[in-house]
Amino acid sequence: EITQTRKYNDFLPSVNLKYTPTDELVVRGAYYRTIVRPNFADVVPSGNIEFEDGIRSGSLGNPNLDPYNANNFDFGVEYYPDNKSVLSAGVFYKKLESFIYNQGFRNTDYLGRFYDDLSIPNNGEKAEIKGIELNAQTQLTSLPAPFDGLILGANYTYVDTSATIEDGDGNPYTTPLPRTSSNIANFIIGYEKGGFSGRVALSYQSEYLDEVFSEGDDDRYVLDHFQVDVQANYEFVEGLQAYIQVSNLNNRPFRAVLRRGGSADYLSQFDEFGWTGETGIKFQV
């Protein structure tokens, strides 16, 4: 039986500023402190354990996890040329403490049992996140029919991170913040007119560090991902709609690799999910 008790107190201040020099322009600034508790599955000392050919491997929770907190600074500018469009840009900085990441161990004892290969969530020491956000949305109502129903949207986020964690011997070293992509982009083209509403969404996420191994080698990376999603609705009469949604229309697989010495990649996981779809009728009174 494993019993773990944890108590903590946090002061979480927040300051938000807004300035509107014109009706079309909005300037925002904010500072706030946040706390994020571990997921329930991450703190429960249970999980998946496999024992095959004398080799025990598993993925378990960690009852010793601390919540992590962050000091956040945001600054942004929004421009509204008309009531159908917006252009915005922002910068942000976050300083994290005791963040949570997945760490891999080989040939280790954990909770009274030996594992040849083990993955558990752990706390890092500190991390910094710096980035920019760009966004543009517009509905082209000024075009002649039938093109006046077109909608365009795009956003892009760049993130620069650094994190301090410990290797298997307790020595700190710097690495990118796990599970954080440097580049995230989305593009949407849609159409709304005459009871019809539809969207085609293109989304891209660059590779990210998924799991850090205690030996300082064989870190696991999830490779970049590009996906196409489609959704459409048609309202026959007021309150009655038919809809269809299709995810991963381009059948993009999930790919993860082990990276050794920062050079060679060895396949860790390759899953093909295909596309998924949903259709039906919605009625609202």
Side-chain angles (χ1 to χ4, degrees):
E1 180 178 345
I2 299 174
T3 301
Q4 181 71 39
T5 301
R6 185 66 51 84
K7 294 182 180 180
Y8 46 86
N9 296 295
D10 287 275
F11 176 58
L12 305 176
S14 175
V15 177
N16 294 273
L17 301 175
K18 177 181 176 181
Y19 175 56
T20 54
T22 69
D23 291 339
E24 296 82 16
L25 191 63
V26 179
V27 181
R28 302 179 189 272
Y31 161 75
Y32 52 100
R33 183 172 174 84
T34 55
I35 180 173
V36 179
R37 299 177 180 85
N39 295 325
F40 182 75
D42 288 342
V43 296
V44 177
S46 63
N48 299 317
I49 301 175
E50 297 180 1
F51 190 79
E52 185 177 356
D53 298 330
I55 297 177
R56 180 181 286 111
S57 59
S59 176
L60 301 174
N62 182 359
N64 296 311
L65 278 181
D66 291 322
Y68 70 81
N69 50 55
N71 289 300
N72 309 272
F73 300 87
D74 296 337
F75 177 80
V77 178
E78 302 167 9
Y79 175 63
Y80 299 88
D82 54 58
N83 60 0
K84 299 289 185 178
S85 305
V86 59
L87 299 172
S88 65
V91 295
F92 55 87
Y93 173 79
K94 303 175 185 294
K95 187 170 184 180
L96 284 65
E97 301 171 8
S98 299
F99 64 93
I100 298 171
Y101 69 100
N102 283 336
Q103 186 169 22
F105 297 88
R106 293 191 176 92
N107 304 318
T108 187
D109 287 301
Y110 183 66
L111 300 179
R113 179 170 291 182
F114 177 82
Y115 290 88
D116 299 274
D117 192 354
L118 177 66
S119 174
I120 63 170
N122 216 335
N123 284 115
E125 293 186 8
K126 58 184 179 180
E128 290 187 344
I129 303 174
K130 296 173 286 185
I132 61 172
E133 298 175 309
L134 303 174
N135 176 62
Q137 307 284 335
T138 187
Q139 186 170 354
L140 304 178
T141 53
S142 59
L143 293 179
F147 305 106
D148 54 346
L150 282 172
I151 297 172
L152 298 176
N155 60 69
Y156 170 72
T157 302
Y158 171 75
V159 181
D160 179 31
T161 70
S162 64
T164 301
I165 62 177
E166 294 183 352
D167 61 19
D169 298 323
N171 300 313
Y173 69 98
T174 301
T175 183
L177 183 65
R179 296 190 175 183
T180 305
S181 295
S182 295
N183 297 279
I184 300 173
N186 297 278
F187 177 76
I188 297 173
I189 181 169
Y191 188 85
E192 287 186 1
K193 191 174 182 181
F196 175 82
S197 174
R199 299 283 193 280
V200 177
L202 313 178
S203 59
Y204 171 79
Q205 182 177 11
S206 62
E207 72 173 27
Y208 61 87
L209 176 61
D210 183 50
E211 186 174 83
V212 178
F213 277 85
S214 59
E215 289 86 350
D217 205 353
D218 282 357
D219 291 344
R220 173 181 155 107
Y221 284 80
V222 173
L223 298 184
D224 63 315
H225 187 83
F226 172 73
Q227 184 168 313
V228 180
D229 301 323
V230 177
Q231 67 92 13
N233 302 278
Y234 184 75
E235 189 173 44
F236 296 99
V237 295
E238 186 176 355
L240 180 63
Q241 285 186 348
Y243 71 93
I244 183 171
Q245 297 176 343
V246 180
S247 299
N248 195 26
L249 185 63
N250 57 331
N251 295 325
R252 185 69 173 180
F254 176 88
R255 302 167 300 152
V257 298
L258 297 179
R259 187 159 297 170
R260 298 179 178 174
S263 55
D265 288 349
Y266 298 84
L267 186 64
S268 171
Q269 185 177 351
F270 184 92
D271 294 332
E272 288 186 296
F273 300 102
W275 61 271
T276 59
E278 178 184 348
T279 186
I281 301 292
K282 294 188 292 186
F283 179 70
Q284 294 179 333
V285 180

